[in-house]
Amino acid sequence: MMDARVYTELRKPLRTVPLLQEVLSRYDSTHTRELALYLSWLAVVLVDANEPEEAARAARQMLDLSADFASDRTAQRARIVLTKLEPFRDIPEVREVLDTPA
């Protein structure tokens, strides 16, 4: 996971996406907060990879998960994700995420 976070910060989406997808595919879904955070990093890196539809799907999953608990960190990550998606508002999947009340 740390490699994926480093590559996310370095804006290396081609390296990051496979790492995050692999981690998320085997992550224990009972750790909702952590799963939501990891999905937020995936959404950001997918935007960086110019994959806004996929980013919107990850963002939607992250927002749905984080609606069930209060966390300042996930709220902050949600704001970052939504800001990153904003330039792609014309894409229906993105618009749906941006227009859905949090």
Side-chain angles (χ1 to χ4, degrees):
M1 191 61 218
M2 289 309 295
D3 286 347
R5 288 185 63 189
V6 168
Y7 286 134
T8 299
E9 294 303 316
L10 293 174
R11 301 186 104 184
K12 303 269 187 193
L14 295 178
R15 292 185 183 188
T16 311
V17 170
L19 291 171
L20 283 172
Q21 288 173 331
E22 198 245 315
V23 167
L24 288 168
S25 73
R26 56 186 168 80
Y27 202 79
D28 184 351
S29 63
T30 62
H31 298 278
T32 310
R33 180 182 170 271
E34 290 82 6
L35 186 56
L37 289 171
Y38 296 159
L39 284 164
S40 77
W41 289 310
L42 180 61
V44 165
V45 81
L46 285 165
V47 168
D48 289 344
N50 200 30
E51 294 291 342
E53 296 90 351
E54 289 298 316
R57 279 188 267 288
R60 174 79 279 140
Q61 190 177 1
M62 177 240 172
L63 293 168
D64 289 347
L65 283 172
S66 62
D68 294 337
F69 60 90
S71 165
D72 289 338
R73 189 160 183 216
T74 31
Q76 177 187 27
R77 291 296 305 166
R79 287 189 296 275
I80 290 168
V81 168
L82 295 174
T83 298
K84 292 282 280 188
L85 284 170
E86 187 62 44
F88 299 95
R89 178 175 277 285
D90 291 341
I91 297 169
E93 295 89 345
V94 173
R95 185 172 43 253
E96 181 183 334
V97 170
L98 293 174
D99 290 347
T100 301

